[in-house]
Amino acid sequence: MQVLTSSADLKSSQSQRNRIQVEELVSELRDRLKHVWDGGSSEAVALHRKRGKLLAHQRISSLIDPNTPWLELSPLAAWGIYENQVPSAGIITGIGYVSGRPCVIVANDATVKGGTYFPLTIKKHLRAQEIAMQNRLPAIYLVDSGGVFLPKQAEVFADKEHFGRIFYNQARMSAIGIHQVAVVMGMCTAGGAYVPAMCDENIIVKGTGKIYLAGPPLVRAATGEEVTAEALGGADLHTRLSGVSDHLAENEQEALERCRDAIGYLGRARFPPTRDADPLAPLYPESDLYSLIPSSSQQPMDIREIIARLVDGSRFQEFKSRYGTSLVCGFAHWMGHRVGILANSSALFAESALKGAHFVQLCNQRRLPLIFLQNVPGFMVGKRYEEQGIIKAGAKMVQTVATAKVPKFTIMIGVSHGAGNYAMCGRAYNPRFVFGWPNARTSVMGGQQAANVLVTIKQQQLAKRGKRLSDDEIRQQTESVLTQYDIETSAYYSTARLWDDGILDPIETRSTLGFCLDIAYQSPRTDHRQPVYRW
Ligand code: COA
């Protein structure tokens, strides 16, 4: 195996500027994660505790095996949206080990607007279910929710990927053998009542757990019947009379223990994963990444220097290193798993796209998971490149990425613009997981290019009427587009909308992706045979 040797000058003033900038970005990330960690307002948290209930993260800590990793997904969902009043979109999702088996965990946060479902809460819940389906992981729902957030009913109720999709998914998950267990730790009303009802097994906590189609006020309004919440849908009723629940727990800790028991009695897991080799640390420390990430997205990133800090032993068997050099492709081990890596060193050209397509087919044929390190300003534009058929070449890469059957993983490490996002396996191309670095910037094109395009269009429109834009108008329009793009391209804008599964401190990239590769091992092997073309 070839070994990457670093020639980066980490003491240069540029490297030091890079490090300062990335440290600031990582510190901002930590602050924001800390901000959302506790959930809702201090009053809501105090009331929740007074009721003898654990907070959502405490419930998860009690559920998962001690001293095992917990991969939280999209903790900054809804960041800056809904007046920033819905931390983590009111729902905690992630992957953790329960009774020795990795499980997807979905926990409502009742301190955030009663755990109700906003549009992004639903998107996050559905994404967690998708991860369970793709990776064949059991799903555990810790339910404590007032159902849909009623003022936004038009955005959450009736469409294909709205609230009803959660239960549709539960049925489909069950049909493909994905085990699901619910623990009812609070309110579970209306449609939400189907969450425990559609699980294989569910546990309800005495006193606080409630399941009903309509709560006492609605029953009174609809039929005039006066009934207490406990009599209408409490733990005693559901475990003794209705049979909606299977186990009554005296308190939350006991309920979580019953859940661990339920997972412990599932059939044998394909876990722990068989790695291809023992994980081997890279030759260079991951902390060097801070000095290697350019402080401006205009500066080039030396992608081999980055790869040398991520892969086992910094060993990288490069493929076609002399051809299509704007895309670097090669084989490596990542925490003991053999993988194929595609990483950008600049824009995609026709040759680099063809090389990428060839490499994706090779990995697919060899059943090697694919890792995409996206830093792609887009495909090269211009007459010369159109003549070379860059669209045909790009289409081949997009096709092979879309149809590859091996697990795919994408990390946004820099810019991601235009069709480069698609060819390098952006969210729409179904990677198992997508993460971004805090410096990542995603948009259809760079802000300056968008501003130039829009000014040109305006000028052409006005020219037809014999008018022109003044210098001041050009400056104003340019600044307004730049400001908009600056906000919308940020990693926080992306993660808030679940275009990714979370923002990573770059030095967590290796371990996080290693965990995801372990997880992907759970899914059944599909038939990978497809021809390999030398394009
Ligand atoms: N839609 C919109 N907002 C809701 C809501 C809903 N379904 N359920 C609760 N909220 C809001 C409350 O207005 C309150 O907002 P505020 O903090 O801005 O005042 C916040 O969530 C907390 O609700 P509150 O009733 O004060 O807290 P609680 O812990 O005592 O009770 C619930 C929480 C969810 C049990 C209770 O609010 C409830 O029963 N809600 C109605 C549930 C329902 O009928 N849902 C049907 C939807 S399908």
Side-chain angles (χ1 to χ4, degrees):
M1 259 281 185
Q2 293 162 7
V3 177
L4 293 168
T5 41
S6 175
S7 57
D9 177 5
L10 301 180
K11 295 211 164 64
S12 71
S13 56
Q14 183 59 56
S15 298
Q16 282 169 20
R17 272 200 300 280
N18 294 348
R19 173 165 285 275
I20 291 167
Q21 153 118 350
V22 177
E23 279 173 354
E24 278 171 9
L25 289 172
V26 169
S27 150
E28 179 182 58
L29 173 65
R30 301 249 165 266
D31 287 348
R32 291 181 176 189
L33 289 172
K34 197 158 163 276
H35 180 84
V36 298
W37 179 263
D38 281 338
S41 65
S42 50
E43 298 81 44
V45 169
L47 182 64
H48 189 83
R49 287 202 166 113
K50 200 165 152 217
R51 288 169 170 162
K53 293 162 93 177
L54 296 170
L55 297 172
H57 277 114
Q58 292 174 327
R59 287 172 175 166
I60 293 168
S61 301
S62 300
L63 177 65
I64 61 177
D65 299 346
N67 307 317
T68 55
W70 157 248
L71 174 62
E72 184 161 338
L73 300 164
S74 301
L76 293 170
W79 180 264
I81 307 177
Y82 315 131
E83 290 154 8
N84 218 14
Q85 293 301 305
V86 188
S88 299
I91 198 164
I92 312 297
T93 64
I95 303 170
Y97 291 78
V98 177
S99 300
R101 185 190 276 262
C103 297
V104 165
I105 300 173
V106 177
N108 301 116
D109 186 347
T111 68
V112 181
K113 294 281 176 192
T116 51
Y117 281 75
F118 287 68
L120 286 166
T121 321
I122 294 174
K123 195 170 181 186
K124 194 166 162 182
H125 191 131
L126 296 179
R127 171 68 188 141
Q129 290 181 313
E130 182 180 47
I131 289 171
M133 282 188 264
Q134 284 182 331
N135 298 283
R136 292 295 200 273
L137 301 175
I140 298 172
Y141 307 100
L142 305 182
V143 189
D144 195 349
S145 162
V148 300
F149 183 73
L150 291 169
K152 291 205 179 287
Q153 72 84 24
E155 295 167 61
V156 293
F157 176 58
D159 205 355
K160 186 173 171 190
E161 306 242 306
H162 281 180
F163 201 50
R165 192 74 179 187
I166 292 174
F167 322 115
Y168 172 80
N169 278 351
Q170 280 190 258
R172 285 171 59 237
M173 287 159 77
S174 187
I176 57 171
I178 293 179
H179 309 287
Q180 295 168 85
V181 178
V183 186
V184 181
M185 315 180 92
M187 178 67 78
C188 193
T189 188
Y194 288 103
V195 172
M198 294 184 68
C199 278
D200 305 354
E201 230 172 317
N202 76 59
I203 301 128
I204 183 166
V205 180
K206 191 173 156 186
T208 46
K210 305 274 182 312
I211 311 174
Y212 32 60
L213 283 183
L218 185 52
V219 169
R220 191 182 317 118
T223 68
E225 188 183 8
E226 290 286 348
V227 60
T228 65
E230 192 62 30
L232 189 64
D236 178 56
L237 171 107
H238 284 311
T239 50
R240 194 170 54 82
L241 297 176
S242 74
V244 169
S245 288
D246 308 307
H247 310 279
L248 180 148
E250 289 294 328
N251 53 47
E252 293 203 358
Q253 287 291 0
E254 185 187 326
L256 295 168
E257 205 45 53
R258 290 290 81 74
C259 178
R260 290 178 49 76
D261 293 343
I263 298 293
Y265 277 103
L266 298 181
R268 184 171 295 187
R270 284 163 54 89
F271 224 80
T274 319
R275 298 202 176 105
D276 301 298
D278 287 333
L280 188 65
L283 292 182
Y284 309 97
E286 287 152 270
S287 56
D288 287 356
L289 289 171
Y290 285 15
S291 308
L292 295 166
I293 297 171
S295 46
S296 149
S297 54
Q298 312 300 323
Q299 285 165 24
M301 187 187 287
D302 188 335
I303 196 63
R304 290 182 190 79
E305 294 284 352
I306 302 282
I307 295 171
R309 270 87 187 164
L310 294 173
V311 300
D312 291 12
S314 306
R315 294 180 195 160
F316 187 60
Q317 186 72 38
E318 200 166 333
F319 174 75
K320 275 184 181 296
S321 62
R322 292 155 52 83
Y323 180 82
T325 52
S326 72
L327 182 70
V328 173
C329 301
F331 304 101
H333 284 80
W334 191 298
M335 301 284 288
H337 293 281
R338 279 184 315 140
V339 294
I341 296 177
L342 294 92
N344 310 101
S345 63
S346 66
L348 288 165
F349 292 79
E351 312 86 82
S352 37
L354 294 180
K355 165 175 155 180
H358 186 174
F359 185 70
V360 167
Q361 289 190 324
L362 270 186
C363 293
N364 194 57
Q365 185 75 279
R366 297 175 190 181
R367 300 186 170 190
L368 295 181
L370 288 163
I371 295 177
F372 295 83
L373 301 177
Q374 273 212 21
N375 181 28
V376 56
F379 278 89
M380 199 64 201
V381 296
K383 180 167 180 292
R384 182 173 147 209
Y385 305 102
E386 297 292 354
E387 280 172 5
Q388 287 172 353
I390 193 161
I391 299 172
K392 280 196 297 181
K396 291 186 178 83
M397 185 168 175
V398 170
Q399 274 172 323
T400 53
V401 170
T403 56
K405 292 179 183 156
V406 289
K408 298 171 280 187
F409 305 87
T410 302
I411 313 279
M412 306 297 206
I413 63 169
V415 296
S416 171
H417 298 314
N421 174 286
Y422 307 154
M424 289 296 290
C425 202
R427 186 61 129 185
Y429 288 78
N430 244 353
R432 294 284 179 106
F433 294 92
V434 186
F435 295 102
W437 285 355
N439 56 300
R441 297 241 152 222
T442 304
S443 59
V444 63
M445 61 180 77
Q448 190 62 56
Q449 289 93 321
N452 294 348
V453 170
L454 289 168
V455 166
T456 307
I457 291 171
K458 196 80 211 158
Q459 279 171 327
Q460 285 170 350
Q461 275 177 347
L462 291 176
K464 284 181 207 152
R465 285 181 254 143
K467 296 182 182 163
R468 57 185 291 274
L469 280 176
S470 70
D471 289 350
D472 254 6
E473 285 168 330
I474 292 176
R475 201 172 314 113
Q476 269 172 18
Q477 185 166 341
T478 304
E479 271 168 23
S480 131
V481 176
L482 286 178
T483 308
Q484 182 199 346
Y485 269 64
D486 193 46
I487 296 167
E488 293 182 358
T489 54
S490 104
Y492 292 98
Y493 196 88
S494 294
T495 207
R497 288 157 182 78
L498 280 107
W499 299 345
D500 61 35
D501 296 307
I503 301 180
L504 293 180
D505 177 344
I507 61 172
E508 292 167 350
T509 308
R510 188 173 139 77
S511 57
T512 305
L513 217 62
F515 182 75
C516 294
L517 284 159
D518 286 351
I519 295 303
Y521 179 84
Q522 289 288 106
S523 53
R525 301 268 162 134
T526 40
D527 186 0
H528 289 66
R529 273 168 299 179
Q530 280 183 330
V532 176
Y533 298 117
R534 180 170 302 279
W535 300 102

